[in-house]
Amino acid sequence: MPTPAADRLEELLAGLNEPQRDAVTHGDGPLLILAGAGSGKTRVLTHRLAWLVHSGRASHQEVLAITFTNKAAQEMRNRVELLLGRRTRGMWVMTFHAACARMLRAEAPRLGYTRQFTIYDQADARRLTKRCLEELNVDTKRFTPAAVHNQISDAKNKLRSADDVRELVGSRFEEIVGDVYDAYEREMLRMNAMDFDDLLVRAVNVLELFDEVRERYQQTFRYVLVDEYQDTNHAQYKWLQLLAGEHRNLAVVGDDAQSVYSFRGADIRNILDFQDDFPDAAVVKLEQNYRSTQTILDAANAVIRNNRGQIAKDLWTEVGQGDPIRVRELDDERSEARFVVGEVQRLIDEGVSRQEIAVFYRTNAQSRVIEDVLVQRDIGYQVVGGTKFYERAEIKDALAYLTLLGNPQDVVAFTRVANTPRRGIGQTSMSRVTAFATAMDMSVWDAAANPAAVPSLGAAAIKAFSRFMGTMEGLRERAAQGVPVGDLLEAVLHETGYVDALEAERTFEAQGRLENLTELVNTAREFDASADPGEDTLDVFLQQVALVADADTREDEGLVTLMTLHNAKGLEYEIVFITGFEDGVFPHSRALDEGALEEERRLCYVGITRAKRDLTLSYARQRMVFGSQQYGLRSRFLDEIPFELTDREQTDVVRQPGARVSWAASRADAPPPEAVDFRIGQDVAHAAFGEGVVTGIEPGGIVVIRFARDGSERKLMAEYAPITRR
């Protein structure tokens, strides 16, 4: 007679296809789950977690499940809760950064921090970088804080030290980055703060340096599950290797064909080399797609097949063949926008919901002309990737107040709020207080609380600091008493004069800021309602807010969605338009110059597989680039899609095996011109790209030119491109 446990396991596996079952029921040892687009990877991951618990292999507290965004983590927690019942309390199902932050709240003192360390967002980190540059007397116009901090962030993600950075190339820029990196690290430790990259780096540090810590976490988490493994950077890879080093029960889910975040530090080698790291790893391929038509999948398969660096997969579906992919050639970007918006209007008139329609493009700049036409047609839309809630100035001010109450050593939070709203504390007075704190090795809070002891501080400044710190001391007492975060935040906004200052402005903008702050208070009250009794709620609330990812704040309001292809990853829509299929636009010219064509092709695969039933691809004969009209080639990615999958006539594709075809050559009524007026080695000039030299001439009237300004090599139509001979 079946036991209740056996019934639960059978129920858990019901409805899974055979490869999904194989992945869910894998026993001990490393596991690589190659999950093609739309193949149900989240379902497999959550069912595996539940299977480990129901089968008795692990308690729910012995499983660590990691993903990238808070939204994905919450979805995973919800699904696991349905599968396990209420036994999810205490389970580590969270993002990389949240897991590392939780680990460091316990272990940070080993590295010289307190448990109340502050988490800096990018804006805070760049402000500190600017301060370090200024202290080193570096020209911040020539070496900008953004550029320097990006290099520091990249180095941390690759677990490189300041000395490593200096030795990479050895130019003046690398030397400056190395010096600023050193100063930045010292300041972060002194202020008891970590940036997002530090959460990963310090978590790796504590596992590497302290054997007892590493062994404890290895024993605690007998099974480690990781989503979106193709997006991991080196620091995340190393952290996982350390956690799974003893038991080797590491199960990773990902799709190398969807690795498109190298600019954020993602390293595709992590998934491609998984079998080298674990030669005994079981490999399961999830190739059945539950989202798209077979035509759409065949197109995606055909495109990605051209990549050399990949693990072969072949997506298929039982949904049906579906309609052909529509391919459209337009005169220019405005014609393209009018066509796309016209089709959107037609679909809406036919009863299609706006929420089911998405328009993708390679770069944000391409959205402008589409937005213009949407506004003209009075079609509601949203652009994903705009300013997010937690990036608004008034929200950052309010959170900085709370941060300072929780961590009185935080100079960045102090300098943000000490004169916000204006209370007579100038920049010079602020600098004197922070410099005094540094010189006396004391917190900036203690220095500001006794302003009379600060040398050269004027009477007015002493009075202003005294009033400000008197208010803050009263608020800090309430924070120490553990009052709810919502109540504390409301008191902060009123008692510091922040609300009064906005109300005194009597403007529409100020009213909007007040509404945003009201929403932040509501967020804090929602947090209070779900907080665990006895925990340090202020620290946890600030940590939770700091870890909110950009994509998590996307709102669906029944609008047509516009977004870049990068933002489209992980989403799906009934009807998708992808615009700008021209070489130099998509694939992007920068990617072509940097040898990143394969990642661009993966981005194309991502875009195609977002569509469920209807896909339209468009390109323009000419497009305004750098203030002048540019004539170019139809994207090579279009030519990689078999014509029988599209609504193009076969005569539209005059193509030899392996040959490239321009949009001009694809027109039956436009015989390809010949580049007879150019010769290899000839000096030329282009209206947008400057001077160059002809390096090749190809059939179809194509001239290949290497431009001196940036060293790029471009293929242009000789008849149409604005090229002059020198």
Side-chain angles (χ1 to χ4, degrees):
M1 181 177 180
T3 64
D7 289 340
R8 281 199 302 270
L9 289 175
E10 188 54 41
E11 183 180 339
L12 196 63
L13 300 177
L16 299 178
N17 62 40
E18 187 174 341
Q20 288 175 334
R21 281 188 172 226
D22 291 342
V24 168
T25 60
H26 171 74
D28 289 351
L31 171 64
L32 172 61
I33 305 170
L34 291 167
S39 62
K41 67 179 179 63
T42 304
R43 188 182 191 199
V44 168
L45 202 61
T46 53
H47 278 64
R48 172 160 178 77
L49 194 158
W51 183 83
L52 288 169
V53 175
H54 283 317
S55 65
R57 286 182 172 270
S59 72
H60 66 280
Q61 293 179 318
E62 293 177 318
V63 182
L64 170 65
I66 294 292
T67 188
F68 273 82
T69 68
N70 293 292
K71 183 177 179 181
Q74 186 58 53
E75 180 184 357
M76 196 182 299
R77 279 193 293 269
N78 292 342
R79 292 200 194 187
V80 169
E81 188 168 297
L82 289 174
L83 295 171
L84 291 181
R86 301 298 300 175
R87 292 189 298 164
T88 58
R89 195 173 186 82
M91 182 178 286
W92 285 45
V93 180
M94 58 188 68
T95 65
F96 274 101
H97 289 97
C100 289
R102 182 181 287 191
M103 181 182 289
L104 289 168
R105 289 294 177 197
E107 310 299 339
R110 296 175 182 268
L111 301 175
Y113 299 84
T114 75
R115 291 185 171 87
Q116 290 74 40
F117 63 84
T118 300
I119 300 175
Y120 278 11
D121 64 12
Q122 187 179 61
D124 293 331
R126 285 187 176 176
R127 271 192 291 272
L128 180 58
T129 302
K130 184 174 185 290
R131 193 147 63 86
C132 292
L133 282 162
E134 291 170 344
E135 289 175 358
L136 291 168
N137 296 316
V138 175
D139 183 355
T140 56
K141 291 183 178 178
R142 184 181 176 193
F143 302 100
T144 66
V148 172
H149 182 258
N150 283 342
Q151 290 298 310
I152 293 173
S153 175
D154 183 65
K156 288 184 179 183
N157 285 330
K158 294 174 180 174
L159 298 178
R160 289 175 177 162
S161 67
D163 289 337
D164 294 333
V165 172
R166 291 190 191 95
E167 293 172 1
L168 278 177
V169 177
S171 72
R172 176 63 176 151
F173 180 62
E174 276 74 28
E175 288 178 11
I176 287 173
V177 171
D179 293 343
V180 175
Y181 190 174
D182 273 335
Y184 179 91
E185 293 286 83
R186 287 194 300 271
E187 282 295 290
M188 291 290 277
L189 182 60
R190 189 180 70 81
M191 293 192 297
N192 192 37
M194 298 186 197
D195 61 25
F196 272 61
D197 303 315
D198 284 330
L199 295 177
L200 301 173
V201 174
R202 302 300 172 231
V204 169
N205 293 158
V206 82
L207 293 177
E208 282 186 318
L209 295 172
F210 301 97
D211 293 344
E212 68 276 17
V213 175
R214 182 175 66 254
E215 290 166 5
R216 172 159 36 89
Y217 280 102
Q218 286 176 347
Q219 291 169 7
T220 299
F221 300 125
R222 295 179 52 216
Y223 292 88
V224 180
L225 283 64
V226 187
D227 193 14
E228 302 285 9
Y229 189 66
Q230 78 280 348
D231 293 335
T232 53
N233 60 36
H234 183 66
Q236 291 160 336
Y237 164 85
K238 185 67 175 177
W239 185 70
L240 291 169
Q241 295 284 319
L242 289 165
L243 282 177
E246 185 67 27
H247 50 69
R248 303 176 75 254
N249 291 327
L250 176 63
V252 302
V253 184
D255 183 3
D256 58 288
Q258 297 187 69
S259 179
V260 295
Y261 292 137
S262 65
F263 65 95
R264 294 182 188 170
D267 189 346
I268 192 174
R269 292 175 301 178
N270 292 348
I271 192 167
L272 293 178
D273 296 346
F274 188 84
Q275 290 170 271
D276 293 333
D277 295 333
F278 300 98
D280 59 331
V283 180
V284 177
K285 293 184 181 182
L286 305 181
E287 297 171 300
Q288 182 175 357
N289 177 284
Y290 293 92
R291 173 194 301 157
S292 307
T293 66
Q294 191 62 54
T295 295
I296 290 170
L297 298 180
D298 286 345
N301 289 335
V303 169
I304 202 65
R305 205 170 286 132
N306 290 276
N307 270 7
R308 294 182 179 180
Q310 64 162 318
I311 305 173
K313 292 180 298 298
D314 198 24
L315 299 180
W316 61 276
T317 186
E318 294 178 345
V319 170
Q321 194 64 37
D323 295 331
I325 296 169
R326 297 192 302 166
V327 178
R328 293 293 181 270
E329 172 193 80
L330 290 309
D331 287 334
D332 55 26
E333 68 268 30
R334 290 199 169 277
S335 297
E336 182 181 49
R338 286 193 294 269
F339 163 73
V340 170
V341 175
E343 288 299 292
V344 169
Q345 184 67 69
R346 178 182 63 79
L347 290 164
I348 293 172
D349 291 344
E350 292 174 358
V352 176
S353 168
R354 290 177 176 83
Q355 285 181 297
E356 297 178 349
I357 305 171
V359 182
F360 302 153
Y361 34 80
R362 176 60 180 83
T363 63
N364 277 308
Q366 292 171 252
S367 76
R368 182 187 62 83
V369 65
I370 300 171
E371 290 185 64
D372 287 348
V373 181
L374 284 166
V375 170
Q376 293 166 9
R377 302 285 182 90
D378 196 26
I379 297 175
Y381 69 95
Q382 62 175 339
V383 180
V384 172
T387 302
K388 301 299 189 294
F389 181 79
Y390 291 104
E391 294 174 356
R392 295 169 186 167
E394 64 275 16
I395 302 301
K396 293 178 74 66
D397 289 341
L399 293 174
Y401 271 110
L402 293 181
T403 296
L404 187 59
L405 294 176
N407 181 9
Q409 297 167 265
D410 194 322
V411 175
V412 172
F414 175 84
T415 54
R416 184 178 185 100
V417 303
N419 199 43
T420 306
R422 295 185 182 278
R423 51 176 64 91
I425 298 176
Q427 190 59 50
T428 301
S429 298
M430 196 107 65
S431 297
R432 284 173 178 161
V433 169
T434 56
F436 179 73
T438 301
M440 302 302 294
D441 196 25
M442 63 195 300
S443 74
V444 68
W445 180 290
D446 290 338
N450 185 20
V454 179
S456 304
L457 203 60
I462 291 173
K463 188 175 181 180
F465 272 116
S466 297
R467 281 199 304 264
F468 171 59
M469 291 307 296
T471 300
M472 295 300 288
E473 289 284 5
L475 290 166
R476 193 179 178 199
E477 286 179 12
R478 272 171 279 179
Q481 293 165 4
V483 302
V485 179
D487 293 345
L488 180 63
L489 177 57
E490 196 165 53
V492 164
L493 294 173
H494 283 89
E495 295 179 25
T496 61
Y498 203 100
V499 167
D500 290 342
L502 286 175
E503 288 178 341
E505 286 185 26
R506 298 177 182 271
T507 63
F508 179 81
E509 291 79 6
Q511 184 59 40
R513 293 185 185 121
L514 286 167
E515 291 170 359
N516 290 336
L517 291 169
T518 299
E519 184 58 30
L520 183 63
V521 172
N522 292 340
T523 301
R525 295 201 188 285
E526 290 173 6
F527 168 81
D528 290 331
S530 61
D532 291 335
E535 69 179 357
D536 191 344
T537 53
L538 179 56
D539 287 341
V540 176
F541 174 73
L542 289 170
Q543 174 181 311
Q544 178 176 301
V545 168
L547 295 173
V548 172
D550 284 355
D552 297 345
T553 59
R554 189 178 67 88
E555 299 175 358
D556 293 315
E557 301 174 354
L559 304 173
V560 174
T561 300
L562 275 60
M563 70 178 82
T564 65
L565 285 155
H566 282 100
N567 283 328
K569 186 172 176 291
L571 305 176
E572 60 181 46
Y573 296 89
E574 289 288 331
I575 298 162
V576 167
F577 296 84
I578 308 180
T579 62
F581 263 96
E582 302 121 48
D583 267 13
V585 178
F586 187 41
H588 195 279
S589 58
R590 183 172 59 249
L592 294 174
D593 294 341
E594 295 173 356
L597 177 61
E598 295 214 343
E599 179 154 332
E600 291 287 292
R601 188 174 281 114
R602 293 194 292 270
L603 195 57
C604 183
Y605 171 93
V606 166
I608 291 172
T609 54
R610 299 311 94 192
K612 296 172 73 173
R613 65 177 175 88
D614 196 322
L615 176 62
T616 301
L617 313 177
S618 62
Y619 60 100
R621 298 188 186 101
Q622 57 182 334
R623 187 175 298 272
M624 187 69 75
V625 179
F626 305 126
S628 65
Q629 289 290 343
Q630 177 180 330
Y631 298 81
L633 300 173
R634 182 175 70 192
S635 172
R636 65 195 70 197
F637 299 151
L638 282 180
D639 294 333
E640 292 171 356
I641 299 175
F643 76 90
E644 61 269 16
L645 299 176
T646 73
D647 64 355
R648 292 177 289 179
E649 297 293 331
Q650 187 165 2
T651 54
D652 288 345
V653 187
V654 186
R655 177 171 52 188
Q656 300 297 324
R660 293 296 325 289
V661 183
S662 74
W663 49 262
S666 73
R667 301 176 64 200
D669 61 344
E674 294 299 326
V676 294
D677 293 335
F678 292 94
R679 66 182 186 278
I680 294 176
Q682 185 173 27
D683 291 330
V684 296
H686 186 280
F689 305 125
E691 295 184 351
V693 62
V694 176
T695 58
I697 296 172
E698 298 183 359
I702 299 169
V703 59
V704 185
I705 302 173
R706 179 173 294 281
F707 291 96
R709 183 182 300 168
D710 58 2
S712 65
E713 191 168 86
R714 301 175 186 272
K715 296 182 180 181
L716 303 171
M717 292 299 300
E719 183 176 346
Y720 302 104
I723 308 170
T724 56
R725 298 160 187 79
R726 304 293 290 182

